[in-house]
């Protein structure tokens, strides 16, 4: 084609087909690549993890610790939880005079199903309505024993003393040492009390009366 003819074609604004196809193809490729990138991001965002859970439960119950006592060497057992319902020890203490000695026992054990624990004898307190001067005129000792009667024979040099010793007696208000008590009503703690009126008791105490109340405080081992 001659030069003027080609110039006429450019003037009419007709573009050769070879300039359209490559550009269109390039745009399409770019569009597909862009779409592929978007699809890839979308696939990552929609992934999810599996999950599962386990649950457990437990049931809890409280143990118990309770005491009861006997003043007839284990013949009868009862709970005496307050000073108003205190067990009465069988002292033959009527008509005591200076130097007189009396003995009485109390046995203590846990109840059936109870934990083991420790017993602590608290100091004696003046009983309601008692004469304070007469109360102060007495001394006492306490031993833990395992056999025999509650009498003078329990208070030897090798005895297990809760209050006092083989050579000393203490005021009624003196607290004693602790001792173990078995679980589940087994092996009662046998305590023997010895009460002595002081030889120095005043003559003015004749005809008076008094009493003492002791608390045996128990604490469980767990």
């Amino acid at each position: 084609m001659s030069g003027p003819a080609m110039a006429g074609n450019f003037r009419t604004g007709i573009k050769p087909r070879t300039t359209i196809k490559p550009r269109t193809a390039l745009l399409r490729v770019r569009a597909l690549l862009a779409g592929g990138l978007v699809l890839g991001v979308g696939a990552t965002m929609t992934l999810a993890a599996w999950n599962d859970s386990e649950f457990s439960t437990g049931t809890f119950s409280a143990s118990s610790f309770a005491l009861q006592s006997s003043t007839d060497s284990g013949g009868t057992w009862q709970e005496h939880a307050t000073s108003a319902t205190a067990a009465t020890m069988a002292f033959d203490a009527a008509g005591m005079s200076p130097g007189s000695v009396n003995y009485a026992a109390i046995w203590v054990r846990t109840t059936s199903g109870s934990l083991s624990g420790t017993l602590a004898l608290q100091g004696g307190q003046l009983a309601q309505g008692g004469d304070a001067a007469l109360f102060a005129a007495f001394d006492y000792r306490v031993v833990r024993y395992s056999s025999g009667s509650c009498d003078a024979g329990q208070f030897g040099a090798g005895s297990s003393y809760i209050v006092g010793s083989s050579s000393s007696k203490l005021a009624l208000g003196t607290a004693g040492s602790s001792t173990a008590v078995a679980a589940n009503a087994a092996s009662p703690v046998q305590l023997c009390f010895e009460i002595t009126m002081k030889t120095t008791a005043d003559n003015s105490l004749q005809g008076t009366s008094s009493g003492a109340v002791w608390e045996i405080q128990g604490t469980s081992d767990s």
Side-chain angles (χ1 to χ4, degrees), residues 82-89 91 123-136 138 172-173 208-215:
T82 67
S83 59
T85 60
T88 302
M89 290 186 287
F91 286 108
Q125 302 294 316
L126 177 65
Q128 186 174 6
D131 186 280
L134 183 61
F135 178 89
F138 289 97
L172 298 184
T208 60
S209 63
S210 190
V213 178
W214 285 275
E215 178 186 0

Side-chain angles (χ1 to χ4, degrees), residues 183-209:
N184 199 32
S187 303
V189 174
Q190 302 175 195
L191 300 178
C192 181
F193 282 64
E194 178 192 76
I195 307 295
T196 302
M197 179 178 275
K198 296 176 182 179
T199 57
T200 57
D202 194 85
N203 194 56
S204 64
L205 296 175
Q206 293 183 65
T208 60
S209 63

Side-chain angles (χ1 to χ4, degrees), residues 63-154:
S63 58
S64 64
F65 178 73
L67 302 173
Q68 54 186 193
S69 62
S70 171
T71 57
D72 58 0
S73 300
T76 304
W77 292 94
Q78 292 181 328
E79 294 187 32
H80 306 88
T82 67
S83 59
T85 60
T88 302
M89 290 186 287
F91 286 108
D92 183 17
M96 292 185 71
S97 57
S100 295
V101 182
N102 268 280
Y103 300 90
I106 184 167
W107 293 13
V108 183
R109 71 181 186 184
T110 56
T111 58
S112 178
S114 173
L115 298 170
S116 60
T118 301
L119 304 179
L121 178 64
Q122 307 301 297
Q125 302 294 316
L126 177 65
Q128 186 174 6
D131 186 280
L134 183 61
F135 178 89
F138 289 97
D139 287 329
Y140 83 127
R141 297 186 294 182
V142 181
V143 295
R144 177 173 181 170
Y145 68 106
S146 57
S147 62
S149 301
C150 177
D151 54 28
Q154 300 291 350

